[in-house]
Amino acid sequence: MQKITIAIDGYSSCGKSTLAKALAQRLHYNYIDTGAMYRAVTLYALQNNLIDDANTLNTQALILELLNIEVEFYFNQHTKTSETILNGKNIDNEIRTMRVNDNVSKVSAIKEVRDKMVALQRQMGKKKAVVLDGRDIGTHVFPKAELKLFMIADPEVRAKRRQDEFSSKGQYYSLAEVEMSLLKRDMADISREESPLTQADDAIILDNSDLSREDQLEYVVKLINDMQVMV
Ligand code: DC
């Protein structure tokens, strides 16, 4: 009956949150979308003119504003989904835009932002029975997580998935534009100083370029069963 912590890291648009949500639902675990937390801080910066039209961030002003930024998750019993809340307001749609995508890497590279988000993530996940997805979960946030996955996928497949997600919300971009944006974000995430994206030594690599959602879920559930954890 042991409850575990599941850490899912990887590049942008590899399907981490799709897998994390499905796992959390299957196992009756909590799901923490840590990327949504950095996106929420980025949205706050955009809404409060801390990022200008040329996408220049006023880092010091954002650090001072951190005290006024409250990010939390609310589990909606009707929709059975976890909602991202910024200062009391659901911001799930507003954080999935190209403008946020293009600015989130520099916001998430700030030490003070990361310290605040990581403290929150550790607090939310302290009772285990939790699935977290992000970039530094297995290496930094929960280095003792019992199961660590590192997800990868072909950049073209990733760009197509993200493009479909955008167009389902009425936002239209070319494949090249989407691919460029996500490769830029990957580069920023792996090269930053604070907790860069890197694979934990004990992480299992999961390449889902050719895997369906169902197949990847069953693969990970089997991994968990093989770990002889009762779920
Ligand atoms: O998973 P995502 O694409 O929603 O994440 C948005 C950005 O947030 C990503 O470009 C890097 C950053 N991030 C991070 O630095 N650390 C995390 N644990 C999660 C996300």
Side-chain angles (χ1 to χ4, degrees), residues 147-161:
L147 178 63
K148 297 180 189 177
L149 299 170
F150 191 83
M151 291 184 67
I152 58 173
D154 190 319
E156 265 181 47
V157 174
R158 296 195 276 140
K160 182 77 182 82
R161 286 178 188 155

PDB file of all heavy atoms in Angstrom, residues 147-161:
ATOM      1  N   LEU A 147       9.944   6.961  -8.277  1.00  0.00           N
ATOM      2  CA  LEU A 147       9.940   6.729  -9.719  1.00  0.00           C
ATOM      3  C   LEU A 147      10.226   8.037 -10.445  1.00  0.00           C
ATOM      4  O   LEU A 147       9.540   9.038 -10.227  1.00  0.00           O
ATOM      5  CB  LEU A 147       8.581   6.187 -10.186  1.00  0.00           C
ATOM      6  CG  LEU A 147       8.463   5.961 -11.702  1.00  0.00           C
ATOM      7  CD1 LEU A 147       9.449   4.906 -12.207  1.00  0.00           C
ATOM      8  CD2 LEU A 147       7.038   5.569 -12.096  1.00  0.00           C
ATOM      9  N   LYS A 148      11.274   8.011 -11.281  1.00  0.00           N
ATOM     10  CA  LYS A 148      11.624   9.202 -12.062  1.00  0.00           C
ATOM     11  C   LYS A 148      11.577   8.847 -13.546  1.00  0.00           C
ATOM     12  O   LYS A 148      12.197   7.868 -13.965  1.00  0.00           O
ATOM     13  CB  LYS A 148      13.040   9.665 -11.722  1.00  0.00           C
ATOM     14  CG  LYS A 148      13.214  10.102 -10.283  1.00  0.00           C
ATOM     15  CD  LYS A 148      14.637  10.546 -10.036  1.00  0.00           C
ATOM     16  CE  LYS A 148      14.872  10.784  -8.569  1.00  0.00           C
ATOM     17  NZ  LYS A 148      16.271  11.148  -8.289  1.00  0.00           N
ATOM     18  N   LEU A 149      10.862   9.642 -14.302  1.00  0.00           N
ATOM     19  CA  LEU A 149      10.806   9.439 -15.752  1.00  0.00           C
ATOM     20  C   LEU A 149      11.395  10.660 -16.432  1.00  0.00           C
ATOM     21  O   LEU A 149      11.177  11.792 -15.976  1.00  0.00           O
ATOM     22  CB  LEU A 149       9.352   9.271 -16.197  1.00  0.00           C
ATOM     23  CG  LEU A 149       8.602   8.081 -15.604  1.00  0.00           C
ATOM     24  CD1 LEU A 149       7.121   8.185 -15.938  1.00  0.00           C
ATOM     25  CD2 LEU A 149       9.166   6.768 -16.136  1.00  0.00           C
ATOM     26  N   PHE A 150      12.126  10.430 -17.492  1.00  0.00           N
ATOM     27  CA  PHE A 150      12.629  11.548 -18.298  1.00  0.00           C
ATOM     28  C   PHE A 150      12.070  11.371 -19.700  1.00  0.00           C
ATOM     29  O   PHE A 150      12.412  10.407 -20.399  1.00  0.00           O
ATOM     30  CB  PHE A 150      14.162  11.562 -18.304  1.00  0.00           C
ATOM     31  CG  PHE A 150      14.721  12.829 -18.882  1.00  0.00           C
ATOM     32  CD1 PHE A 150      14.841  13.964 -18.092  1.00  0.00           C
ATOM     33  CD2 PHE A 150      15.106  12.896 -20.213  1.00  0.00           C
ATOM     34  CE1 PHE A 150      15.340  15.155 -18.623  1.00  0.00           C
ATOM     35  CE2 PHE A 150      15.600  14.078 -20.751  1.00  0.00           C
ATOM     36  CZ  PHE A 150      15.725  15.209 -19.946  1.00  0.00           C
ATOM     37  N   MET A 151      11.185  12.278 -20.093  1.00  0.00           N
ATOM     38  CA  MET A 151      10.473  12.093 -21.365  1.00  0.00           C
ATOM     39  C   MET A 151      11.152  12.836 -22.504  1.00  0.00           C
ATOM     40  O   MET A 151      11.544  13.998 -22.370  1.00  0.00           O
ATOM     41  CB  MET A 151       9.024  12.552 -21.216  1.00  0.00           C
ATOM     42  CG  MET A 151       8.270  11.596 -20.302  1.00  0.00           C
ATOM     43  SD  MET A 151       6.539  11.984 -20.142  1.00  0.00           S
ATOM     44  CE  MET A 151       5.942  11.643 -21.779  1.00  0.00           C
ATOM     45  N   ILE A 152      11.244  12.139 -23.619  1.00  0.00           N
ATOM     46  CA  ILE A 152      11.785  12.750 -24.836  1.00  0.00           C
ATOM     47  C   ILE A 152      10.848  12.401 -25.997  1.00  0.00           C
ATOM     48  O   ILE A 152      10.088  11.427 -25.925  1.00  0.00           O
ATOM     49  CB  ILE A 152      13.231  12.265 -25.149  1.00  0.00           C
ATOM     50  CG1 ILE A 152      13.277  10.740 -25.291  1.00  0.00           C
ATOM     51  CG2 ILE A 152      14.202  12.712 -24.082  1.00  0.00           C
ATOM     52  CD1 ILE A 152      14.629  10.215 -25.764  1.00  0.00           C
ATOM     53  N   ALA A 153      10.912  13.199 -27.063  1.00  0.00           N
ATOM     54  CA  ALA A 153      10.148  12.894 -28.285  1.00  0.00           C
ATOM     55  C   ALA A 153      10.752  13.719 -29.416  1.00  0.00           C
ATOM     56  O   ALA A 153      11.375  14.762 -29.181  1.00  0.00           O
ATOM     57  CB  ALA A 153       8.670  13.220 -28.102  1.00  0.00           C
ATOM     58  N   ASP A 154      10.562  13.229 -30.601  1.00  0.00           N
ATOM     59  CA  ASP A 154      11.022  13.889 -31.818  1.00  0.00           C
ATOM     60  C   ASP A 154      10.518  15.346 -31.859  1.00  0.00           C
ATOM     61  O   ASP A 154       9.328  15.586 -31.654  1.00  0.00           O
ATOM     62  CB  ASP A 154      10.385  13.081 -32.963  1.00  0.00           C
ATOM     63  CG  ASP A 154      10.936  13.451 -34.298  1.00  0.00           C
ATOM     64  OD1 ASP A 154      11.130  14.653 -34.523  1.00  0.00           O
ATOM     65  OD2 ASP A 154      11.161  12.537 -35.106  1.00  0.00           O
ATOM     66  N   PRO A 155      11.401  16.344 -32.115  1.00  0.00           N
ATOM     67  CA  PRO A 155      10.959  17.749 -32.115  1.00  0.00           C
ATOM     68  C   PRO A 155       9.785  18.023 -33.057  1.00  0.00           C
ATOM     69  O   PRO A 155       8.904  18.819 -32.735  1.00  0.00           O
ATOM     70  CB  PRO A 155      12.201  18.523 -32.562  1.00  0.00           C
ATOM     71  CG  PRO A 155      13.341  17.653 -32.211  1.00  0.00           C
ATOM     72  CD  PRO A 155      12.860  16.239 -32.296  1.00  0.00           C
ATOM     73  N   GLU A 156       9.751  17.347 -34.197  1.00  0.00           N
ATOM     74  CA  GLU A 156       8.636  17.594 -35.122  1.00  0.00           C
ATOM     75  C   GLU A 156       7.308  17.092 -34.553  1.00  0.00           C
ATOM     76  O   GLU A 156       6.266  17.722 -34.706  1.00  0.00           O
ATOM     77  CB  GLU A 156       8.889  16.891 -36.450  1.00  0.00           C
ATOM     78  CG  GLU A 156       9.512  17.806 -37.467  1.00  0.00           C
ATOM     79  CD  GLU A 156       9.741  17.104 -38.790  1.00  0.00           C
ATOM     80  OE1 GLU A 156       8.828  16.429 -39.276  1.00  0.00           O
ATOM     81  OE2 GLU A 156      10.878  17.241 -39.308  1.00  0.00           O
ATOM     82  N   VAL A 157       7.395  15.944 -33.892  1.00  0.00           N
ATOM     83  CA  VAL A 157       6.186  15.385 -33.266  1.00  0.00           C
ATOM     84  C   VAL A 157       5.721  16.330 -32.162  1.00  0.00           C
ATOM     85  O   VAL A 157       4.530  16.634 -32.019  1.00  0.00           O
ATOM     86  CB  VAL A 157       6.495  13.979 -32.664  1.00  0.00           C
ATOM     87  CG1 VAL A 157       5.309  13.441 -31.882  1.00  0.00           C
ATOM     88  CG2 VAL A 157       6.913  13.009 -33.763  1.00  0.00           C
ATOM     89  N   ARG A 158       6.673  16.848 -31.403  1.00  0.00           N
ATOM     90  CA  ARG A 158       6.337  17.755 -30.300  1.00  0.00           C
ATOM     91  C   ARG A 158       5.695  19.032 -30.832  1.00  0.00           C
ATOM     92  O   ARG A 158       4.702  19.524 -30.295  1.00  0.00           O
ATOM     93  CB  ARG A 158       7.603  18.116 -29.514  1.00  0.00           C
ATOM     94  CG  ARG A 158       8.228  16.923 -28.850  1.00  0.00           C
ATOM     95  CD  ARG A 158       9.217  17.361 -27.812  1.00  0.00           C
ATOM     96  NE  ARG A 158      10.530  17.675 -28.306  1.00  0.00           N
ATOM     97  CZ  ARG A 158      11.275  18.697 -27.884  1.00  0.00           C
ATOM     98  NH1 ARG A 158      10.810  19.529 -26.991  1.00  0.00           N
ATOM     99  NH2 ARG A 158      12.478  18.878 -28.358  1.00  0.00           N
ATOM    100  N   ALA A 159       6.285  19.578 -31.911  1.00  0.00           N
ATOM    101  CA  ALA A 159       5.757  20.827 -32.473  1.00  0.00           C
ATOM    102  C   ALA A 159       4.334  20.624 -32.990  1.00  0.00           C
ATOM    103  O   ALA A 159       3.460  21.467 -32.803  1.00  0.00           O
ATOM    104  CB  ALA A 159       6.671  21.321 -33.586  1.00  0.00           C
ATOM    105  N   LYS A 160       4.100  19.474 -33.604  1.00  0.00           N
ATOM    106  CA  LYS A 160       2.763  19.185 -34.151  1.00  0.00           C
ATOM    107  C   LYS A 160       1.739  19.109 -33.003  1.00  0.00           C
ATOM    108  O   LYS A 160       0.640  19.651 -33.114  1.00  0.00           O
ATOM    109  CB  LYS A 160       2.819  17.859 -34.930  1.00  0.00           C
ATOM    110  CG  LYS A 160       1.521  17.472 -35.572  1.00  0.00           C
ATOM    111  CD  LYS A 160       1.268  18.289 -36.851  1.00  0.00           C
ATOM    112  CE  LYS A 160      -0.044  17.973 -37.516  1.00  0.00           C
ATOM    113  NZ  LYS A 160      -1.192  18.647 -36.947  1.00  0.00           N
ATOM    114  N   ARG A 161       2.137  18.450 -31.922  1.00  0.00           N
ATOM    115  CA  ARG A 161       1.216  18.341 -30.784  1.00  0.00           C
ATOM    116  C   ARG A 161       0.879  19.730 -30.233  1.00  0.00           C
ATOM    117  O   ARG A 161      -0.275  20.039 -29.929  1.00  0.00           O
ATOM    118  CB  ARG A 161       1.865  17.524 -29.659  1.00  0.00           C
ATOM    119  CG  ARG A 161       1.939  16.043 -29.943  1.00  0.00           C
ATOM    120  CD  ARG A 161       2.645  15.343 -28.789  1.00  0.00           C
ATOM    121  NE  ARG A 161       2.913  13.951 -29.095  1.00  0.00           N
ATOM    122  CZ  ARG A 161       3.889  13.244 -28.533  1.00  0.00           C
ATOM    123  NH1 ARG A 161       4.682  13.779 -27.643  1.00  0.00           N
ATOM    124  NH2 ARG A 161       4.059  11.979 -28.848  1.00  0.00           N
TER     125      ARG A 161
END
